[in-house]
Amino acid sequence: DLVLKVMRHGSTVRGSSNEADNEDGGMFSWYVGKMFERLDQVEGLDQQITDLEWVYFQALQHSERPARSLHKALAEDPAFFVTLLKALYSSSTDDEPELTGEAAEQARNVASQAFDVLENWHRVPGSDDDGMIDPGKLLSWVKAVRAACAAVGRSQIGDYKIGVILSAAERKDNE
């Protein structure tokens, strides 16, 4: 698909070096949202859309089309959730090597993005597109996240972030 090729192209991802283009971020976000709406209509691009939503997350924040595939991936893939926690929070058990130079800058950028993605995420694990929660899927996700967080020294922050996302669950009138 041509839209997919354009969105993956380095010049699109990096943005323009033209100052006038960069000052009009609202239009860029609008166009990015429209490009994602086009991609949403193509079957079989789920993982590619999720990957692109990570790249264009900041632009999607200011568009009419949210990063729903990225949020769905967090709600379905415990390993992805733990990857973002690892990017953002230090281990309580390991002495991780200190990064310097370009590696440190890249790690800061990924951590900043991980923070924004987690702060914007409100889809409860185990829920479907209509917000109905499958208790078995939710329990499985929570157990997998807790085990993975324990393995990488992030139990405390993992439990806290699980609580944050569970508090996003919509309450029904009869509850």
Side-chain angles (χ1 to χ4, degrees), residues 83-98:
T83 297
L84 295 190
L85 291 183
K86 285 172 53 179
L88 191 53
Y89 300 101
S90 300
S91 172
S92 63
T93 57
D94 293 334
D95 288 327
E96 296 171 339
E98 188 170 329

Side-chain angles (χ1 to χ4, degrees), residues 59-75:
L60 288 170
Q61 291 297 98
H62 306 287
S63 78
E64 294 176 3
R65 196 255 184 214
R68 62 180 155 258
S69 294
L70 191 61
H71 295 158
K72 183 177 181 180
L74 279 168

Side-chain angles (χ1 to χ4, degrees), residues 93-165:
T93 57
D94 293 334
D95 288 327
E96 296 171 339
E98 188 170 329
L99 302 174
T100 60
E102 197 173 306
E105 180 66 24
Q106 183 178 4
R108 279 190 295 274
N109 290 339
V110 169
S112 177
Q113 182 88 330
F115 177 84
D116 290 342
V117 168
L118 288 172
E119 285 296 305
N120 186 261
W121 176 44
H122 301 291
R123 181 175 177 150
V124 176
S127 65
D128 62 18
D129 291 339
D130 296 323
M132 295 300 297
I133 299 171
D134 178 324
K137 287 181 180 179
L138 173 60
L139 183 60
S140 176
W141 185 92
V142 168
K143 285 181 177 181
V145 165
R146 293 192 80 216
C149 283
V152 295
R154 288 167 179 85
S155 292
Q156 189 172 2
I157 193 63
D159 286 348
Y160 173 76
K161 289 296 186 178
I162 289 168
V164 169
I165 195 56

